[in-house]
Amino acid sequence: MINKKVANVQEALKGVSNNMTFMLGGFGLSGIPENSIAELVNLGVNGLTCISNNAGVDDFGLGLLLQKKQIKKMVSSYVGENDEFERQMLSGELDVELIPQGTLAERCRAAQAGFPAIYTPAGYGTEVSEGKETREFDGKMYVLEHAFKADFAFVKAWKGDAAGNLIFKGTARNFNPNMCGAAKITVAEVEELVPLGELDPNQIHIPGIFVQRIFQGEVYEKRIEQRTVRQRD
Amino acid sequence: MLDKNGIAKRIAKEVKDGYYVNLGIGIPTLVANFVRDDIEVEFQSENGVLGMGPFPFEGEEDADVINAGKQTITTLPGASFFDSALSFSMIRGQHVDLTILGAMEVAENGDIANWKIPGRMVKGMGGAMDLVASAENIIVAMMHTNKRGESKLLKRCSLPLTGVGCVKRIVTNLAVIEVSTKGFILLERAPGVSVEDIKNATEGTLIVEGDIPEMDI
């Protein structure tokens, strides 16, 4: 077994510095790497480019890094839930690149899988495809989209082991598996770091080869963004 | 004239047994409430779930089980979770049978605009561009005119596009319309709405052939 376990979040984030590009898993606030984000706030690194589907809310998730003005550029598909984000975007302090959600996922996966670029129909004929190479296949038009290049990927899983194997839960899975192994260093934080051998190899979502560092997060708030319920009859 | 629930009710009739369906935010979400219960349909949400169920009972919400609108949901027996790349493989690979989404504008050539108003805060396209570029069967659910009374069915879209030549069918508060190479073909009228009313509310080319039946809802 190749040991990926590190003692804590501080050790997991060693080598993080200003002006780096990060991938961060999560959809809304579901499945975000809460502990890694908190440590990035602690470290005070700035000038960051963050590839993440969303940008958190004002006081949670990537919103915490935005508050401290640590982010220079966001690459996302949807960013609507954050006043500070809006203020920085409209004032020009923050650079924002909006891309289709499926393209975001596939540019991560391409980096993970060793493809330099992929063709997608998404965005063809819209401003998203402006200045990009397009090509026809079987009578339909596609846009060439390049694999992301990132220094660190921060992902969050439900369970993991010292070998770096990961299992996700529910829709907290989202972009997390696609970002594993898509950056130079993948840091996985898990709710539960279980003893080696406890995870059934048949049930592993991401094999440890895609993960360089793993640690158990100290606390998980797991905040709910839109609490919707139905009444009991 | 229909209200939002009426539009959803009419669209629900287009949902067939054995369909995998992706519902957008807004009126499309309401469609799930009107699908016949004697057919089998599975709802896909692009954040990674197939087999979505209703909202949870109070106290049973799970931060790890949400829909694309970030609302807490439940799953039905037979449901599955998956990552974002696989979710868009379902969409881009045309495994999803029907996509229902809202729009700000639709053009008579099938172009759709629903993600950006220049000069206003832009929130992003989310999964809309992937959905419209890939789905074979797209129904747009929207009001026929905007808040200022201007037509949303245009010769050409004025807003930045989400996709080109992709919309096949539109259900509004006034009409059911098919998008063809010649323009908008009027298929059905909403209860109490005349062909003249629909013509007046449609800026793009409206093709009216023969008697136009009233919607059966």
Side-chain angles (χ1 to χ4, degrees):
Chain A
M1 192 272 300
I2 301 170
N3 186 27
K4 308 294 173 70
K5 188 181 162 187
V6 294
N8 49 40
V9 67
Q10 288 80 17
E11 201 178 316
L13 267 66
K14 249 182 207 161
V16 161
S17 65
N18 293 343
N19 305 312
M20 278 188 163
T21 297
F22 298 152
M23 290 175 167
L24 299 107
F27 186 99
L29 300 178
S30 189
I32 58 172
E34 292 184 24
N35 289 267
S36 296
I37 291 172
E39 181 60 14
L40 287 171
V41 173
N42 256 343
L43 289 171
V45 285
N46 55 43
L48 304 174
T49 296
C50 293
I51 300 163
S52 169
N53 190 54
N54 312 94
V57 295
D58 276 314
D59 60 346
F60 201 54
L62 288 180
L64 298 170
L65 287 171
L66 284 163
Q67 269 183 17
K68 296 276 175 70
K69 304 199 172 139
Q70 290 172 263
I71 302 178
K72 178 184 71 182
K73 181 178 179 179
M74 283 297 311
V75 181
S76 307
S77 87
Y78 193 85
V79 292
E81 338 284 359
N82 191 325
D83 290 337
E84 178 60 16
F85 182 98
E86 182 169 347
R87 194 197 62 71
Q88 290 184 24
M89 180 176 168
L90 294 175
S91 71
E93 291 165 64
L94 180 69
D95 186 9
V96 179
E97 184 184 347
L98 293 170
I99 61 174
Q101 195 178 138
T103 301
L104 179 65
E106 211 58 32
R107 288 176 70 186
C108 293
R109 211 194 70 84
Q112 176 192 63
F115 295 119
I118 51 111
Y119 281 104
T120 175
Y124 176 76
T126 75
E127 61 183 51
V128 163
S129 66
E130 280 171 20
K132 290 178 185 164
E133 186 183 326
T134 58
R135 185 167 162 181
E136 186 181 326
F137 293 93
D138 298 325
K140 187 169 169 153
M141 293 304 294
Y142 295 81
V143 185
L144 188 75
E145 294 281 4
H146 291 260
F148 284 124
K149 288 188 169 68
D151 297 295
F152 279 82
F154 297 108
V155 304
K156 189 257 167 181
W158 178 36
K159 291 180 179 179
D161 63 20
N165 296 310
L166 302 176
I167 293 179
F168 302 89
K169 180 166 163 271
T171 53
R173 191 182 313 190
N174 56 65
F175 291 85
N176 286 299
N178 307 132
M179 291 176 171
C180 290
K184 287 177 196 156
I185 296 173
T186 297
V187 174
E189 59 174 88
V190 295
E191 284 178 55
E192 218 183 308
L193 193 62
V194 304
L196 203 65
E198 196 167 288
L199 299 178
D200 177 354
N202 288 299
Q203 306 295 329
I204 303 288
H205 293 137
I206 284 291
I209 192 170
F210 292 111
V211 174
Q212 278 71 48
R213 302 174 190 171
I214 189 167
F215 70 98
Q216 182 173 306
E218 235 166 59
V219 276
Y220 283 98
E221 184 180 337
K222 301 210 329 185
R223 199 186 288 188
I224 291 174
E225 205 164 333
Q226 304 283 344
R227 189 178 297 276
T228 45
V229 295
R230 77 188 132 127
Q231 296 307 313
R232 288 174 202 275
D233 294 329
Chain B
M1 198 188 299
L2 301 176
D3 61 8
K4 288 179 178 179
N5 277 306
I7 295 173
K9 206 169 167 186
R10 174 60 191 83
I11 292 176
K13 288 179 64 183
E14 307 286 326
V15 179
K16 304 286 192 284
D17 191 29
Y19 267 17
Y20 293 101
V21 182
N22 180 289
L23 300 177
I25 294 163
I27 301 173
T29 307
L30 301 172
V31 172
N33 301 333
F34 300 106
V35 173
R36 279 164 41 193
D37 51 17
D38 60 336
I39 62 173
E40 292 298 330
V41 173
E42 281 197 26
F43 291 104
Q44 195 251 19
S45 194
E46 62 261 30
N47 59 315
V49 54
L50 194 59
M52 252 192 301
F55 294 146
F57 291 120
E58 198 163 353
E60 293 176 6
E61 312 92 296
D62 183 348
D64 292 332
V65 184
I66 61 168
N67 64 17
K70 287 126 188 165
Q71 298 171 309
T72 45
I73 55 158
T74 58
T75 54
L76 297 172
S80 55
F81 296 115
F82 35 86
D83 65 66
S84 300
L86 197 60
S87 179
F88 281 91
S89 299
M90 293 176 191
I91 291 164
R92 224 184 289 103
Q94 300 184 338
H95 307 287
V96 172
D97 298 290
L98 176 63
T99 292
I100 302 166
L101 75 176
M104 298 171 187
E105 296 176 346
V106 178
E108 61 186 46
N109 64 355
D111 289 357
I112 179 172
N114 71 354
W115 78 282
K116 182 177 187 180
I117 301 175
R120 288 226 219 131
M121 171 63 189
V122 179
K123 294 190 170 189
M125 66 290 281
M129 284 194 183
D130 306 273
L131 282 159
V132 301
S134 311
E136 296 232 285
N137 197 359
I138 298 175
I139 300 178
V140 166
M142 65 176 192
M143 304 307 273
H144 212 97
T145 53
N146 64 22
K147 281 172 188 154
R148 294 181 301 279
E150 298 156 348
S151 182
K152 295 171 71 173
L153 287 86
L154 308 173
K155 285 191 190 308
R156 296 195 64 80
C157 290
S158 64
L159 295 169
L161 296 181
T162 308
V164 293
C166 50
V167 176
K168 303 287 187 297
R169 193 163 276 225
I170 308 163
V171 179
T172 74
N173 52 328
L174 304 182
V176 178
I177 281 168
E178 192 181 298
V179 180
S180 76
T181 48
K182 293 175 202 140
F184 297 120
I185 300 176
L186 182 58
L187 298 180
E188 296 174 22
R189 297 174 291 115
V193 173
S194 70
V195 170
E196 210 51 37
D197 294 334
I198 298 164
K199 269 188 187 163
N200 289 336
T202 307
E203 191 234 59
T205 310
L206 187 73
I207 299 162
V208 184
E209 286 168 342
D211 262 357
I212 305 300
E214 194 171 281
M215 285 179 209
D216 175 27
I217 56 167

